[in-house]
Amino acid sequence: VYGLINPLDTTHYIKINKAFLGEASALDLAADADNFNYAASELSVRLEGNGKNYTLTRVTDEIPKDAGIFDNATNVLYKFTEEEINRNAPYTLTIVNTQTEKEITATTNIVGHSNVTSPKITNTLGFWSGNVSSGNAVSETISVTAGENIGRIQAYVVFNYIEHYTQASGKDPVHKRVLINLGEEKVAGSSELDLNYLLEGQTFFDNISRKVPDPTTIAHFSHREMDNISIELSVAGSELSTYMEAKAPSTSVNQDKPSYTNVTNGIGVFSSRIYDASWKSNKTKDNGLNMDNDTKRKLGSLGFCLGTNATATNPCPY
């Protein structure tokens, strides 16, 4: 059983498979979906939470299955819809095999709210100080307060920019982004815990230099315009975090890894997660941008412009 409830989604899927044994090669057995998928009438799947009861529907191929060792001609999932998942209520999954009457259960709490406490959305960020050629890179600290029922948080700084094409091409500008991974911090079940992530200035510029394509390889390219910087969080529930830790490679001589599942009468994990992209500066290219002038000038040396005003830092051609 594998299911991760995202409170921002309205459609939720649970993956349920059966283990199998056979006389043939394991590779040959895995190539037959009947060996690991339950038949249409074989399972009764229910979910209870926040005072509501849901009967999950067996669906096929609503989400394509990646190619691999196991047959991907069909992808069987169990689905329910709910627009308002309550983050303060536990949710219990119950699966009954109608042939054997075996019951499998799992319960999870939902990840709480996490907030970026520093910088504020009104702040100006700086990753460079001084002259473009003789200055030096500076660092920024990102502070996050973790909510309840959270096991770990991975933070990202996102540099947003706009790619413009020649007027003769008739192509519309395209918004693009450079995702910079700040690393992952474990919360270990604590609530309202403050986490700090450091982004070094040189790392910021190195990511942009490495991930933004060479403009000479882009047809009808005109110029790149700075937009702003945003912060995004990838948040894992407590059970998911424990499952990830148990499945991680051993870092010691002892190769015995503990097994973990929060599924009763089965294996797998039933938990929650969220990708939170809510920290967005209220300063854009049209009203100041949330980067200081030294950082904007340094970005200008990397081929980025800003606005069309002649007095702007690194003005764009149009």
Side-chain angles (χ1 to χ4, degrees):
V1 180
Y2 296 95
L4 302 174
I5 295 179
N6 183 342
L8 295 184
D9 284 345
T10 58
T11 303
H12 310 271
Y13 296 93
I14 308 294
K15 182 71 173 173
I16 306 172
N17 288 133
K18 57 183 175 181
F20 58 90
L21 292 172
E23 299 283 332
S25 157
L27 293 175
D28 291 338
L29 293 171
D32 183 354
D34 288 339
N35 286 327
F36 54 84
N37 284 332
Y38 286 96
S41 60
E42 204 167 349
L43 297 182
S44 169
V45 186
R46 306 186 310 276
L47 185 78
E48 181 181 359
N50 193 32
K52 299 181 180 180
N53 290 283
Y54 310 87
T55 298
L56 277 67
T57 303
R58 184 183 187 274
V59 297
T60 58
D61 301 330
E62 288 198 4
I63 299 176
K65 189 176 186 299
D66 292 339
I69 293 173
F70 289 86
D71 175 48
N72 69 332
T74 60
N75 191 24
V76 176
L77 299 168
Y78 294 81
K79 164 186 169 182
F80 75 98
T81 57
E82 173 55 68
E83 296 183 358
E84 297 182 4
I85 294 292
N86 187 346
R87 296 202 192 186
N88 298 313
Y91 285 76
T92 298
L93 177 71
T94 303
I95 305 163
V96 176
N97 186 317
T98 60
Q99 309 299 313
T100 65
E101 298 186 355
K102 179 180 179 180
E103 183 176 275
I104 300 92
T105 60
T107 299
T108 186
N109 292 306
I110 306 300
V111 291
H113 295 273
S114 298
N115 299 300
V116 177
T117 54
S118 178
K120 304 295 184 184
I121 60 171
T122 55
N123 283 15
T124 298
L125 303 178
F127 295 99
W128 191 261
S129 178
N131 185 275
V132 168
S133 58
S134 60
N136 57 281
V138 294
S139 303
E140 285 277 359
T141 298
I142 312 299
S143 299
V144 176
T145 298
E148 295 184 352
N149 307 318
I150 290 173
R152 63 182 70 196
I153 299 178
Q154 192 158 11
Y156 302 88
V157 161
V158 186
F159 172 63
N160 302 286
Y161 67 97
I162 305 167
E163 202 152 86
H164 293 264
Y165 306 96
T166 60
Q167 292 178 321
S169 72
K171 295 179 64 176
D172 293 329
V174 177
H175 288 259
K176 296 192 173 184
R177 63 213 303 260
V178 176
L179 197 68
I180 304 170
N181 187 352
L182 301 186
E184 186 179 82
E185 293 287 342
K186 294 179 183 178
V187 182
S190 302
S191 61
E192 298 302 319
L193 181 68
D194 293 326
L195 308 173
N196 292 310
Y197 304 82
L198 181 69
L199 177 55
E200 296 180 351
Q202 194 58 55
T203 301
F204 174 79
F205 291 110
D206 286 347
N207 269 268
I208 293 171
S209 298
R210 187 173 67 254
K211 296 178 180 178
V212 175
D214 180 350
T216 62
T217 64
I218 302 172
H220 308 295
F221 176 84
S222 173
H223 59 277
R224 289 186 173 118
E225 185 176 16
M226 303 177 214
D227 197 346
N228 62 7
I229 294 173
S230 57
I231 300 171
E232 301 180 0
L233 305 175
S234 182
V235 183
S238 300
E239 302 91 347
L240 174 58
S241 179
T242 304
Y243 182 83
M244 292 168 65
E245 189 165 3
K247 293 295 182 180
S250 175
T251 57
S252 67
V253 175
N254 181 9
Q255 294 297 304
D256 291 332
K257 294 288 294 180
S259 60
Y260 172 80
T261 180
N262 67 330
V263 179
T264 302
N265 284 336
I267 59 172
V269 62
F270 179 56
S271 186
S272 67
R273 66 176 175 182
I274 193 170
Y275 194 91
D276 188 349
S278 61
W279 194 98
K280 296 178 181 178
S281 172
N282 61 1
K283 294 182 179 181
T284 67
K285 63 185 181 63
D286 298 319
N287 62 1
L289 203 62
N290 65 333
M291 289 177 268
D292 65 20
N293 287 333
D294 286 353
T295 301
K296 288 185 281 192
R297 278 189 282 267
K298 183 65 175 177
L299 286 166
S301 73
L302 299 178
F304 294 89
C305 62
L306 177 62
T308 55
N309 189 323
T311 61
T313 305
N314 312 312
C316 298
Y318 66 82

